Amino acid sequence: MSTLVIAEHDNASLRDATHKTITAAAALGGPVSVLVAGSGCGTVGEEAAKLAGVDKVLVADDPALEKQLAEPMAALVMSLSGDYSAIVAPATTNGKNYMPRIAALLDSAQISEIVAVESPDTFVRPIYAGNAMQTVKSSDAKKVITVRTTAFKAAEEGGSASVETVSLTDDPSISEYVGEELSKSDRPELTSAKIIISGGRGMQNGENFAMLERVADKLNAAVGASRAAVDAGFVPNDYQVGQTGKVVAPELYIAVGISGAIQHLAGMKDSKVIVAINKDEEAPIFQVADYGLVADLFKAVPELEEELAKAGL
Protein backbone atom coordinates (compact mmCIF):
# COMPACT_ATOMS: atom_id res chain seq x y z
CA MET A 1 0.00 0.00 0.00
CA SER A 2 1.64 3.23 -1.17
CA THR A 3 0.70 6.52 0.47
CA LEU A 4 0.95 10.14 -0.67
CA VAL A 5 1.27 12.72 2.12
CA ILE A 6 0.45 16.31 1.19
CA ALA A 7 2.87 18.56 3.05
CA GLU A 8 1.82 21.56 5.12
CA HIS A 9 4.34 24.38 4.75
CA ASP A 10 4.80 28.11 4.19
CA ASN A 11 7.00 27.77 1.08
CA ALA A 12 10.07 28.19 3.29
CA SER A 13 9.87 25.37 5.85
CA LEU A 14 7.76 22.37 6.79
CA ARG A 15 5.11 22.70 9.46
CA ASP A 16 5.22 20.35 12.43
CA ALA A 17 1.86 18.98 11.24
CA THR A 18 3.64 17.39 8.27
CA HIS A 19 6.07 15.51 10.50
CA LYS A 20 3.18 14.02 12.48
CA THR A 21 1.17 13.17 9.38
CA ILE A 22 4.14 11.22 8.03
CA THR A 23 4.11 9.14 11.22
CA ALA A 24 0.44 8.35 10.66
CA ALA A 25 1.07 7.50 7.00
CA ALA A 26 3.92 5.15 7.91
CA ALA A 27 1.49 3.19 10.10
CA LEU A 28 -0.47 2.28 6.95
CA GLY A 29 2.48 0.23 5.74
CA GLY A 30 4.19 0.49 2.39
CA PRO A 31 6.25 3.31 0.90
CA VAL A 32 5.44 6.93 1.76
CA SER A 33 5.82 9.78 -0.70
CA VAL A 34 5.52 13.44 0.28
CA LEU A 35 4.06 16.05 -2.07
CA VAL A 36 5.43 19.56 -1.54
CA ALA A 37 3.20 21.87 -3.57
CA GLY A 38 3.88 25.58 -3.52
CA SER A 39 5.88 28.39 -5.05
CA GLY A 40 9.61 28.72 -4.46
CA CYS A 41 9.38 25.67 -2.22
CA GLY A 42 12.51 23.77 -3.27
CA THR A 43 14.11 24.01 0.16
CA VAL A 44 10.95 22.56 1.71
CA GLY A 45 11.32 19.49 -0.51
CA GLU A 46 14.91 19.06 0.64
CA GLU A 47 13.77 19.30 4.25
CA ALA A 48 11.07 16.66 3.70
CA ALA A 49 13.60 14.31 2.11
CA LYS A 50 15.55 14.19 5.38
CA LEU A 51 12.64 12.83 7.42
CA ALA A 52 12.68 9.19 8.48
CA GLY A 53 10.04 7.04 6.80
CA VAL A 54 9.89 9.06 3.59
CA ASP A 55 10.77 7.14 0.41
CA LYS A 56 10.23 9.87 -2.18
CA VAL A 57 9.52 13.59 -2.30
CA LEU A 58 7.58 15.18 -5.16
CA VAL A 59 8.06 18.92 -5.57
CA ALA A 60 5.50 20.92 -7.55
CA ASP A 61 6.79 24.49 -7.83
CA ASP A 62 4.21 26.71 -9.50
CA PRO A 63 2.87 30.22 -8.73
CA ALA A 64 -0.68 28.81 -8.87
CA LEU A 65 0.13 26.59 -5.88
CA GLU A 66 1.58 29.28 -3.64
CA LYS A 67 -1.48 29.42 -1.35
CA GLN A 68 -2.59 25.81 -1.91
CA LEU A 69 -6.04 26.74 -3.20
CA ALA A 70 -8.40 23.80 -3.41
CA GLU A 71 -8.86 23.70 -7.19
CA PRO A 72 -5.23 23.59 -8.37
CA MET A 73 -4.27 21.34 -5.43
CA ALA A 74 -7.01 18.86 -6.34
CA ALA A 75 -5.99 18.93 -10.00
CA LEU A 76 -2.37 18.23 -9.08
CA VAL A 77 -3.19 15.39 -6.70
CA MET A 78 -5.55 13.81 -9.22
CA SER A 79 -2.77 13.75 -11.79
CA LEU A 80 -0.60 11.83 -9.31
CA SER A 81 -3.22 9.70 -7.59
CA GLY A 82 -2.91 6.68 -9.90
CA ASP A 83 0.28 5.59 -8.15
CA TYR A 84 -1.18 5.67 -4.63
CA SER A 85 -3.76 3.79 -2.61
CA ALA A 86 -4.05 6.46 0.09
CA ILE A 87 -3.95 10.26 0.05
CA VAL A 88 -3.20 11.69 3.49
CA ALA A 89 -3.03 15.27 4.77
CA PRO A 90 -3.06 17.00 8.16
CA ALA A 91 -6.47 18.21 9.36
CA THR A 92 -5.42 21.85 9.16
CA THR A 93 -7.28 24.74 7.54
CA ASN A 94 -5.56 23.94 4.24
CA GLY A 95 -6.18 20.22 4.50
CA LYS A 96 -9.84 20.74 5.31
CA ASN A 97 -10.10 22.96 2.23
CA TYR A 98 -8.69 20.76 -0.52
CA MET A 99 -9.17 17.20 0.78
CA PRO A 100 -12.99 17.07 0.39
CA ARG A 101 -12.58 18.13 -3.24
CA ILE A 102 -10.01 15.38 -3.80
CA ALA A 103 -12.30 12.83 -2.16
CA ALA A 104 -15.21 13.87 -4.39
CA LEU A 105 -13.12 13.63 -7.56
CA LEU A 106 -11.91 10.16 -6.51
CA ASP A 107 -15.45 9.13 -5.52
CA SER A 108 -14.11 8.09 -2.12
CA ALA A 109 -15.49 8.72 1.35
CA GLN A 110 -13.17 11.02 3.27
CA ILE A 111 -12.08 9.69 6.66
CA SER A 112 -11.55 12.79 8.76
CA GLU A 113 -9.26 13.51 11.70
CA ILE A 114 -8.03 10.01 12.47
CA VAL A 115 -6.24 9.53 15.79
CA ALA A 116 -5.07 5.94 15.27
CA VAL A 117 -4.39 3.45 12.49
CA GLU A 118 -5.66 -0.07 13.24
CA SER A 119 -4.77 -1.50 9.83
CA PRO A 120 -4.39 -0.22 6.25
CA ASP A 121 -8.18 0.02 5.93
CA THR A 122 -9.31 0.56 9.54
CA PHE A 123 -8.99 3.80 11.49
CA VAL A 124 -10.10 5.43 14.74
CA ARG A 125 -11.55 8.93 14.79
CA PRO A 126 -13.37 11.03 17.42
CA ILE A 127 -17.10 11.72 17.25
CA TYR A 128 -19.57 13.61 19.46
CA ALA A 129 -17.05 16.36 20.26
CA GLY A 130 -14.49 13.78 21.24
CA ASN A 131 -16.72 12.04 23.79
CA ALA A 132 -16.62 8.78 21.82
CA MET A 133 -14.25 7.08 19.42
CA GLN A 134 -15.46 5.54 16.18
CA THR A 135 -13.66 2.73 14.40
CA VAL A 136 -14.07 3.09 10.64
CA LYS A 137 -13.30 0.44 8.03
CA SER A 138 -13.07 1.67 4.44
CA SER A 139 -13.55 -0.49 1.34
CA ASP A 140 -12.66 2.35 -1.05
CA ALA A 141 -9.86 1.55 -3.46
CA LYS A 142 -8.24 4.87 -2.64
CA LYS A 143 -8.39 6.12 0.93
CA VAL A 144 -8.66 9.88 1.51
CA ILE A 145 -7.62 10.65 5.06
CA THR A 146 -7.01 13.70 7.22
CA VAL A 147 -4.97 13.32 10.41
CA ARG A 148 -5.53 14.91 13.80
CA THR A 149 -1.85 15.57 14.29
CA THR A 150 -2.01 15.97 18.07
CA ALA A 151 -2.46 12.19 18.29
CA PHE A 152 0.84 11.28 16.59
CA LYS A 153 4.51 11.81 17.30
CA ALA A 154 6.56 13.87 14.87
CA ALA A 155 8.77 12.04 12.40
CA GLU A 156 12.43 12.76 13.06
CA GLU A 157 15.29 13.34 10.70
CA GLY A 158 17.32 10.41 9.45
CA GLY A 159 16.00 9.83 5.95
CA SER A 160 17.54 10.33 2.54
CA ALA A 161 14.63 10.22 0.13
CA SER A 162 14.93 10.99 -3.55
CA VAL A 163 13.48 14.29 -4.78
CA GLU A 164 11.55 14.51 -8.04
CA THR A 165 9.94 17.43 -9.83
CA VAL A 166 6.30 17.23 -10.91
CA SER A 167 4.18 19.78 -12.77
CA LEU A 168 0.71 21.22 -12.49
CA THR A 169 -0.56 20.47 -15.97
CA ASP A 170 -4.20 21.50 -15.62
CA ASP A 171 -4.97 24.52 -13.44
CA PRO A 172 -8.77 25.08 -13.43
CA SER A 173 -8.19 28.79 -12.63
CA ILE A 174 -11.67 29.14 -11.15
CA SER A 175 -10.57 30.76 -7.89
CA GLU A 176 -7.91 33.26 -6.95
CA TYR A 177 -6.10 34.37 -3.84
CA VAL A 178 -7.14 37.90 -2.91
CA GLY A 179 -5.45 38.57 0.42
CA GLU A 180 -5.27 37.74 4.09
CA GLU A 181 -4.88 39.52 7.39
CA LEU A 182 -2.62 37.73 9.82
CA SER A 183 -2.10 38.60 13.46
CA LYS A 184 1.57 38.86 14.34
CA SER A 185 2.99 37.76 17.66
CA ASP A 186 6.35 36.93 19.16
CA ARG A 187 4.70 34.07 21.04
CA PRO A 188 4.57 30.51 19.66
CA GLU A 189 1.65 29.45 17.47
CA LEU A 190 -1.18 27.74 19.33
CA THR A 191 -0.90 24.48 17.42
CA SER A 192 2.85 24.13 17.98
CA ALA A 193 3.32 25.67 21.45
CA LYS A 194 4.58 23.45 24.25
CA ILE A 195 2.78 25.58 26.85
CA ILE A 196 -0.61 27.27 26.43
CA ILE A 197 -2.48 29.47 28.88
CA SER A 198 -6.13 30.02 27.93
CA GLY A 199 -8.82 32.28 29.30
CA GLY A 200 -12.56 31.90 29.30
CA ARG A 201 -15.69 33.89 30.08
CA GLY A 202 -14.41 34.29 33.64
CA MET A 203 -11.83 36.79 32.39
CA GLN A 204 -14.77 39.25 32.18
CA ASN A 205 -13.25 41.42 29.43
CA GLY A 206 -10.46 41.60 26.87
CA GLU A 207 -8.30 43.94 28.92
CA ASN A 208 -7.93 41.28 31.61
CA PHE A 209 -6.25 38.96 29.11
CA ALA A 210 -3.16 41.11 29.68
CA MET A 211 -2.69 39.11 32.90
CA LEU A 212 -2.46 35.90 30.92
CA GLU A 213 -0.16 37.49 28.34
CA ARG A 214 2.33 38.49 31.04
CA VAL A 215 2.40 34.93 32.37
CA ALA A 216 2.68 33.59 28.82
CA ASP A 217 5.70 35.79 28.14
CA LYS A 218 7.46 34.40 31.21
CA LEU A 219 6.75 30.81 30.16
CA ASN A 220 7.30 31.31 26.41
CA ALA A 221 3.73 30.14 26.04
CA ALA A 222 0.91 30.77 23.58
CA VAL A 223 -2.32 32.44 24.65
CA GLY A 224 -5.64 30.77 23.85
CA ALA A 225 -9.29 31.22 24.69
CA SER A 226 -12.58 29.41 24.90
CA ARG A 227 -15.31 30.04 22.36
CA ALA A 228 -17.29 31.95 25.00
CA ALA A 229 -14.43 34.44 25.35
CA VAL A 230 -14.08 34.78 21.58
CA ASP A 231 -17.82 35.20 21.03
CA ALA A 232 -17.87 37.88 23.74
CA GLY A 233 -15.25 39.79 21.78
CA PHE A 234 -12.54 39.50 24.42
CA VAL A 235 -9.94 38.20 21.95
CA PRO A 236 -9.70 37.46 18.19
CA ASN A 237 -10.96 34.24 16.59
CA ASP A 238 -7.47 32.84 16.09
CA TYR A 239 -7.14 32.44 19.88
CA GLN A 240 -9.98 29.89 20.00
CA VAL A 241 -9.25 26.40 21.26
CA GLY A 242 -11.93 23.76 20.86
CA GLN A 243 -14.01 21.69 18.50
CA THR A 244 -14.71 24.69 16.26
CA GLY A 245 -11.33 26.28 16.94
CA LYS A 246 -7.85 24.83 17.11
CA VAL A 247 -7.09 21.37 18.46
CA VAL A 248 -3.97 21.44 20.63
CA ALA A 249 -1.95 19.01 22.73
CA PRO A 250 0.83 20.94 24.49
CA GLU A 251 3.05 19.68 27.30
CA LEU A 252 1.20 22.04 29.67
CA TYR A 253 -2.27 23.57 29.28
CA ILE A 254 -3.42 26.15 31.84
CA ALA A 255 -7.16 26.87 31.73
CA VAL A 256 -8.11 30.10 33.52
CA GLY A 257 -11.75 30.98 34.09
CA ILE A 258 -12.88 28.26 31.69
CA SER A 259 -15.85 26.14 32.78
CA GLY A 260 -15.02 23.29 30.43
CA ALA A 261 -17.81 22.82 27.89
CA ILE A 262 -17.40 19.61 25.89
CA GLN A 263 -16.61 21.61 22.76
CA HIS A 264 -13.61 23.19 24.50
CA LEU A 265 -12.48 19.91 26.05
CA ALA A 266 -12.48 18.32 22.60
CA GLY A 267 -9.76 20.74 21.57
CA MET A 268 -7.36 20.36 24.50
CA LYS A 269 -7.98 17.18 26.50
CA ASP A 270 -5.00 15.42 24.88
CA SER A 271 -2.64 17.89 26.57
CA LYS A 272 0.02 16.12 28.63
CA VAL A 273 -0.66 18.11 31.83
CA ILE A 274 -3.80 20.19 32.40
CA VAL A 275 -4.03 22.84 35.12
CA ALA A 276 -7.37 24.52 35.82
CA ILE A 277 -8.04 27.70 37.81
CA ASN A 278 -11.72 28.36 38.47
CA LYS A 279 -13.72 29.62 41.42
CA ASP A 280 -16.51 27.11 40.73
CA GLU A 281 -15.46 23.78 42.19
CA GLU A 282 -18.19 22.04 40.18
CA ALA A 283 -16.83 23.27 36.82
CA PRO A 284 -16.48 20.38 34.31
CA ILE A 285 -12.89 21.43 33.56
CA PHE A 286 -11.81 19.86 36.85
CA GLN A 287 -12.89 16.43 35.55
CA VAL A 288 -10.04 16.43 33.01
CA ALA A 289 -7.53 18.54 34.95
CA ASP A 290 -4.42 16.95 36.45
CA TYR A 291 -4.19 19.87 38.86
CA GLY A 292 -7.10 22.05 39.90
CA LEU A 293 -7.11 25.27 41.90
CA VAL A 294 -10.44 26.54 43.22
CA ALA A 295 -9.69 30.23 43.52
CA ASP A 296 -10.46 33.71 42.21
CA LEU A 297 -8.40 34.01 39.04
CA PHE A 298 -7.87 37.73 39.65
CA LYS A 299 -5.94 36.79 42.75
CA ALA A 300 -4.38 33.51 41.60
CA VAL A 301 -2.95 34.68 38.26
CA PRO A 302 -1.07 37.71 39.70
CA GLU A 303 0.30 35.42 42.41
CA LEU A 304 1.46 32.99 39.73
CA GLU A 305 3.15 35.83 37.86
CA GLU A 306 4.86 36.93 41.08
CA GLU A 307 6.14 33.42 41.81
CA LEU A 308 7.47 33.07 38.28
CA ALA A 309 9.33 36.36 38.72
CA LYS A 310 10.86 35.04 41.94
CA ALA A 311 12.01 31.99 40.01
CA GLY A 312 13.83 34.24 37.60
CA LEU A 313 11.41 33.89 34.70
Side-chain angles (χ1 to χ4, degrees):
M1 181 176 189
S2 55
T3 302
L4 179 66
V5 171
I6 305 176
E8 180 88 6
H9 60 89
D10 60 0
N11 292 306
S13 60
L14 280 178
R15 303 285 192 191
D16 183 63
T18 304
H19 296 66
K20 295 178 178 179
T21 303
I22 289 170
T23 300
L28 293 171
V32 174
S33 298
V34 175
L35 172 62
V36 176
S39 180
C41 56
T43 56
V44 181
E46 295 171 4
E47 185 180 348
K50 297 177 182 178
L51 295 177
V54 177
D55 294 271
K56 182 168 62 176
V57 175
L58 306 176
V59 177
D61 194 334
D62 191 298
L65 298 168
E66 180 180 3
K67 296 298 180 179
Q68 293 194 334
L69 299 179
E71 293 82 4
M73 285 294 294
L76 174 62
V77 172
M78 288 301 294
S79 70
L80 302 171
S81 63
D83 297 329
Y84 300 98
S85 49
I87 312 294
V88 183
T92 57
T93 301
N94 280 336
K96 292 175 181 178
N97 186 31
Y98 55 70
M99 288 297 274
R101 189 176 188 88
I102 293 169
L105 291 171
L106 289 172
D107 196 23
S108 297
Q110 179 174 312
I111 305 170
S112 301
E113 302 208 28
I114 66 166
V115 297
V117 178
E118 299 274 317
S119 69
D121 64 356
T122 306
F123 314 92
V124 179
R125 61 182 298 273
I127 57 174
Y128 303 131
N131 284 301
M133 291 295 169
Q134 179 185 56
T135 300
V136 179
K137 185 171 183 177
S138 172
S139 59
D140 288 331
K142 291 187 184 296
K143 314 293 189 290
V144 179
I145 302 166
T146 62
V147 175
R148 179 168 288 193
T149 55
T150 56
F152 296 89
K153 292 183 178 180
E156 299 180 353
E157 289 191 1
S160 56
S162 61
V163 180
E164 298 180 11
T165 300
V166 294
S167 300
L168 174 63
T169 57
D170 182 24
D171 179 9
S173 300
I174 56 176
S175 66
E176 63 177 327
Y177 168 76
V178 176
E180 60 188 352
E181 294 182 10
L182 301 176
S183 59
K184 296 182 179 180
S185 174
D186 292 331
R187 302 187 188 96
E189 290 185 4
L190 266 176
T191 53
S192 60
K194 293 184 178 180
I195 302 174
I196 297 174
I197 180 167
S198 287
R201 193 193 306 273
M203 297 302 296
Q204 296 184 1
N205 58 56
E207 288 74 17
N208 288 332
F209 266 78
M211 293 191 304
L212 304 188
E213 291 169 354
R214 291 194 295 270
V215 172
D217 290 340
K218 291 182 179 297
L219 295 173
N220 190 31
V223 177
S226 67
R227 178 171 179 171
V230 171
D231 286 350
F234 296 170
V235 290
N237 287 357
D238 56 355
Y239 278 48
Q240 186 177 330
V241 173
Q243 184 182 17
T244 54
K246 296 176 180 176
V247 178
V248 299
E251 299 292 326
L252 172 63
Y253 188 89
I254 306 173
V256 181
I258 294 176
S259 62
I262 59 173
Q263 291 85 356
H264 184 77
L265 299 184
M268 47 66 71
K269 66 180 182 180
D270 290 331
S271 304
K272 305 301 182 291
V273 177
I274 300 172
V275 176
I277 302 174
N278 200 299
K279 65 181 180 181
D280 178 11
E281 63 182 27
E282 300 297 328
I285 191 71
F286 288 124
Q287 296 177 13
V288 300
D290 298 284
Y291 301 94
L293 175 62
V294 179
D296 183 347
L297 69 88
F298 295 104
K299 180 181 178 182
V301 174
E303 288 178 350
L304 172 59
E305 182 184 356
E306 184 179 334
E307 292 300 320
L308 290 173
K310 291 179 181 178
L313 298 175

